[in-house]
Amino acid sequence: MTRKKEDFGEIIKKDHAERKNLTWSGSFLEYLELVREKPEIYALAHRHMYDLISEAGIIPADEVDGSARSLKLWGDTPPKVYKFFNDEFFGVETALEKIVRYFHAAAMKGEESRQVLYLMGPVGAGKSSISEHLKRKLTEAPPIYVIDGCPIREEPLHLIPRPLREKFNEMLDIQIEGELCPVCRYRLEHEFEGKYERFPVTTTTFSRMHRRGIAVVPPVDPNNQDTSVLIGSEDISKLDQYSEGDPRVLDLNGAFNAGNRGIVEFIEVFKNETEYLHSIITATQEKFVPAPGRHGTIYVDSVILAHSNEAEWRRFKADHTNEAILDRIVTVKVPYNLRLNEEVKIYQKMLSRSGFKSHIAPHTLEVAAMFAVMSRLEKSPKCDVVTKMRLYNGEDVVEKGRTKKIDIQELKEDATNEGMSGISPRFIMKAIDTALTDNPDGITLFTFVMS
Ligand SMILES: Nc1ncnc2c1ncn2[C@@H]1O[C@H](COP(=O)(O)OP(=O)(O)OP(=O)(O)O)[C@@H](O)[C@H]1O
Ligand SMILES: [Mg+2]
């Protein structure tokens, strides 16, 4: 079959036109009219993320793969299956549902909007992939409105002075939150003589590369837990050019500045010193971070996402002095998938993204998946591990001519830590990759096991 040749030029032209359509520039006064027309433009970070998730939709119950909906597996409360996550994640509906619940509550401005979303699970269970996915979806989202030239791309409605807020909230039917950053405050006074209606507003997209609305913080060296990683610094080269207290010296490139309006992700968060964690928690709770030097505070609004494995979580939790921090964290367990069919889908996804194109004989992946899933199951007095695996997969297990009647909900309740240890998909994939490298013509179950 020959592929239809598409014209690169045409595709690029269309792309430019579409992007142009989405961009907007105008004065703050014009922006106010836009918000009046479409108040949903004003969305804090959690609301924005929740809107992206819910706009993608939920897969109707009758279209969901049998095992994901099966009455046997879930009883009367099958999890919702979100399209937003559906092509990427398999067998972890419960964890994803909890994540969505967090965003929902936070979007409604519940306490969750001031709490860290923390993903905890064993190695290779998909924690990083979930946060990558959230970040990628942000970069694909339509642009948001920002104050033109603001170093932290802040919400233009911050320009409305305090005494007018009440009135504007009423007129626009929204609840405006936040304060103007020191840089925009300075510009308002010096460039626009306080005439905020003239301040330029524009649109911008999220970008991980450019750290626009997306910031990632790896564990910081314990000997050098400099807060400038979080809140930025003063540009020393400008200090002799501007007077003290002039916000033009500010270099607002800390994680909270960069991730404003979007996501700030903390990798292996509990590897940081407790002092450092306190700064993270304060920022999350107060939604203000100190500006470097003597420049007051800066309002920030982002989803704070952290992850690490269970061992670190337990170590951290064991220390009572950490209680205040624990109280400000929403923990979502991300265990390994426990359903055979879904495990095969994980490998297929990973294979489709690799360069390996050789043939894999039928059942090879299934056997690998059985091995992985069984390693994750806890022993039960009610049945053996193979039976449990098949029951979890939504299968009927027939013994001596009769279908076994075991309540899966009960099995699950007996095994509270199930899926938190065992063999990871990454481990299996490495074995498959080795087998494929050794057998470029393709692998069979036999060659795979022998590799
Ligand atoms: N339930 C799942 N559905 C789809 N893919 C999965 C699932 N679990 C793991 N994977 C895949 O396994 C690989 C490893 O996952 P990832 O790196 O996100 O794990 P992690 O939890 O961050 O591990 P670590 O603790 O080692 O950092 C990724 O390619 C991921 O997509
Ligand atoms: Mg990871």
Side-chain angles (χ1 to χ4, degrees):
M1 195 179 83
T2 49
R3 255 193 217 169
K4 191 176 154 245
K5 267 195 184 167
E6 284 188 272
D7 187 343
F8 291 120
E10 278 303 314
I11 299 173
I12 293 170
K13 223 160 95 188
K14 205 167 140 221
D15 179 52
H16 282 316
E18 277 170 10
R19 278 171 202 271
K20 202 159 173 246
N21 254 339
L22 290 171
T23 55
W24 184 91
S25 295
S27 68
F28 179 59
L29 192 61
E30 287 162 327
Y31 175 67
L32 280 171
E33 286 304 335
L34 272 190
V35 183
R36 185 178 0 219
E37 254 170 62
K38 280 198 279 175
E40 64 276 13
I41 288 179
Y42 176 62
L44 298 179
H46 289 94
R47 158 64 59 190
H48 186 221
M49 187 58 92
Y50 181 67
D51 286 348
L52 293 179
I53 296 172
S54 46
E55 275 161 20
I58 290 174
I59 306 204
D62 55 345
E63 283 174 28
V64 174
D65 169 9
S67 70
R69 277 284 164 194
S70 142
L71 199 64
K72 264 187 297 174
L73 273 187
W74 303 104
D76 301 335
T77 48
K80 287 190 180 130
V81 179
Y82 293 94
K83 284 190 185 159
F84 184 89
F85 292 109
N86 196 46
D87 299 340
E88 286 283 328
F89 300 98
F90 306 101
V92 282
E93 298 85 356
T94 312
L96 296 175
E97 201 175 29
K98 285 186 190 148
I99 293 173
V100 178
R101 206 174 293 146
Y102 161 85
F103 280 114
H104 190 185
M108 305 305 286
K109 294 200 185 169
E111 185 53 29
E112 283 80 354
S113 63
R114 293 172 184 271
Q115 300 230 329
V116 174
L117 173 61
Y118 167 64
L119 309 180
M120 184 263 283
V123 290
K127 303 177 295 293
S128 301
S129 307
I130 292 174
S131 58
E132 281 306 318
H133 191 70
L134 292 171
K135 290 182 290 180
R136 186 165 60 78
K137 290 287 183 182
L138 268 188
T139 62
E140 291 167 3
I144 53 165
Y145 294 85
V146 300
I147 293 185
D148 200 359
C150 172
I152 59 167
R153 300 160 314 281
E154 72 184 306
E155 165 59 55
L157 293 174
H158 293 174
L159 285 161
I160 302 171
R162 276 278 147 199
L164 277 184
R165 287 269 173 111
E166 196 73 17
K167 173 116 190 102
F168 278 49
N169 279 342
E170 223 171 84
M171 287 172 69
L172 299 170
D173 195 19
I174 53 178
Q175 274 297 324
I176 304 162
E177 221 186 70
E179 300 296 331
L180 210 52
C181 83
V183 178
C184 291
R185 221 157 43 217
Y186 183 90
R187 285 183 63 203
L188 176 59
E189 206 176 302
H190 293 84
E191 253 177 67
F192 298 93
E193 293 146 351
K195 301 226 162 39
Y196 50 90
E197 69 280 13
R198 282 175 27 210
F199 222 111
V201 171
T202 187
T203 46
T204 184
T205 48
F206 289 87
S207 159
R208 184 183 168 159
M209 291 298 175
H210 297 96
R211 297 180 85 229
R212 281 199 311 260
I214 298 176
V216 181
V217 194
V220 184
D221 172 7
N223 298 319
N224 180 28
Q225 301 229 329
D226 182 357
T227 50
S228 65
V229 176
L230 298 180
I231 61 167
S233 54
E234 284 182 305
D235 184 345
I236 308 170
S237 68
K238 288 186 187 154
L239 280 174
D240 50 359
Q241 203 180 330
Y242 300 114
S243 62
E244 202 187 355
D246 190 322
R248 283 174 293 180
V249 303
L250 288 176
D251 210 351
L252 295 178
N253 59 1
F256 283 116
N257 313 126
N260 189 34
R261 316 275 310 263
I263 282 193
V264 184
E265 176 192 7
F266 290 92
I267 298 174
E268 304 292 345
V269 67
F270 295 120
K271 287 213 167 86
N272 293 302
E273 298 286 300
T274 316
E275 289 309 304
Y276 198 71
L277 291 176
H278 274 290
S279 335
I280 299 173
I281 293 289
T282 317
T284 315
Q285 184 84 58
E286 313 294 334
K287 292 187 93 172
F288 276 96
V289 291
R294 289 192 216 148
H295 297 275
T297 53
I298 299 181
Y299 169 85
V300 285
D301 164 45
S302 28
V303 174
I304 312 287
L305 178 65
H307 45 96
S308 79
N309 58 45
E310 196 178 9
E312 281 182 24
W313 167 246
R314 286 193 186 283
R315 190 173 51 80
F316 185 78
K317 220 172 141 186
D319 185 345
H320 289 301
T321 56
N322 291 332
E323 257 169 29
I325 297 184
L326 289 170
D327 200 36
R328 290 165 170 83
I329 292 178
V330 174
T331 308
V332 175
K333 267 194 190 177
V334 184
Y336 290 132
N337 155 55
L338 298 176
R339 299 210 306 275
L340 187 61
N341 290 349
E342 303 297 306
E343 189 69 13
V344 173
K345 288 186 198 159
I346 299 178
Y347 305 156
Q348 282 165 343
K349 173 191 88 171
M350 290 164 94
L351 275 169
S352 72
R353 290 179 190 175
S354 73
F356 292 113
K357 297 282 174 256
S358 19
H359 181 69
I360 298 178
H363 303 304
T364 310
L365 296 183
E366 269 108 317
V367 172
M370 279 182 194
F371 177 59
V373 170
M374 281 196 280
S375 78
R376 300 166 188 168
L377 298 179
E378 284 181 19
K379 285 204 179 91
S380 164
K382 294 191 179 112
C383 61
D384 59 83
V385 173
V386 178
T387 307
K388 198 178 197 186
M389 174 193 70
R390 292 176 58 195
L391 289 170
Y392 277 8
N393 200 37
E395 296 171 32
D396 285 332
V397 178
V398 182
E399 209 176 66
K400 292 184 195 140
R402 282 174 142 184
T403 310
K404 273 200 159 196
K405 288 223 170 353
I406 298 178
D407 185 352
I408 298 172
Q409 297 310 319
E410 274 177 25
L411 279 182
K412 284 187 184 167
E413 279 159 24
D414 293 345
T416 45
N417 224 28
E418 202 158 55
M420 296 304 277
S421 64
I423 291 172
S424 75
R426 212 190 266 137
F427 180 90
I428 298 289
M429 279 317 295
K430 277 193 282 188
I432 294 173
D433 291 351
T434 311
L436 285 170
T437 318
D438 291 349
N439 305 281
D441 295 335
I443 52 171
T444 61
L445 184 52
F446 180 72
T447 46
F448 171 56
V449 175
M450 296 313 282
S451 301

